[in-house]
């Protein structure tokens, strides 16, 4: 359902999410995010985040609301940026509505997301 790793050379937390989630799927994800963010903060200071969600369909509102809380906690641990790459325009609309933050952007292309993070 998810994979999270800290890429030290890039000072980047890489997250991959897949599948349709239930509310009980979010707490283990949140704990893994917190762990990776703490590692990144200690090792690399302010880090960026790249979320690949090509195989993550539009989620139910209760799950989307829980994920908003995860994003808010995670983004508060850095002054870096977070790029979310989605697989469809509908996913993009949901992510933009629920994951609104000045340092978070939603993309349809991995190239555009990586370019934005680098800039």
């Amino acid at each position: 359902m998810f994979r999270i790793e800290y890429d030290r050379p890039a000072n980047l937390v890489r997250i991959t999410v897949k599948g349709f989630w239930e509310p009980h799927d979010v707490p283990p994800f949140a704990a893994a995010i917190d762990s990776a963010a703490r590692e990144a903060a200690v090792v690399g200071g302010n880090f960026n985040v790249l979320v690949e969600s090509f195989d993550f369909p539009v989620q139910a509102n209760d799950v989307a609301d829980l994920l908003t809380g995860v994003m808010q906690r995670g983004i508060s641990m850095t002054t870096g940026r977070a790029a979310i790459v989605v697989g469809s325009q509908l996913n993009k609309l949901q992510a933009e509505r629920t994951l609104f933050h000045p340092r978070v952007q939603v993309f349809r292309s991995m190239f555009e997301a990586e370019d934005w993070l680098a800039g």
Side-chain angles (χ1 to χ4, degrees):
M1 296 202 103
F2 67 86
R3 182 173 45 94
I4 301 168
E5 61 188 21
Y6 175 55
D7 178 346
R8 286 180 187 220
N11 195 28
L12 179 73
V13 174
R14 295 182 186 274
I15 302 169
T16 303
V17 291
K18 295 180 179 184
F20 189 77
W21 289 17
E22 297 294 331
H24 67 266
D25 296 318
V26 178
F29 176 69
I33 292 278
D34 288 345
S35 177
R38 279 194 305 278
E39 177 188 358
V42 168
V43 173
N46 290 311
F47 56 91
N48 288 327
V49 177
L50 179 60
V51 180
E52 179 192 315
S53 62
F54 291 120
D55 297 320
F56 194 65
V58 169
Q59 302 293 309
N61 286 336
D62 55 350
V63 171
D65 290 344
L66 292 170
L67 291 172
T68 298
V70 173
M71 180 276 299
Q72 290 171 339
R73 281 189 306 279
I75 201 73
S76 71
M77 298 176 82
T78 183
T79 59
R81 296 175 167 185
I84 302 163
V85 186
V86 298
S88 74
Q89 186 60 30
L90 191 56
N91 288 91
K92 187 173 190 293
L93 291 171
Q94 183 181 49
E96 288 173 338
R97 178 180 58 81
T98 60
L99 303 177
F100 180 78
H101 189 278
R103 291 183 284 117
V104 174
Q105 289 289 324
V106 183
F107 299 91
R108 294 282 316 273
S109 152
M110 187 64 75
F111 175 77
E112 289 175 353
E114 290 170 336
D115 189 51
W116 181 73
L117 288 173

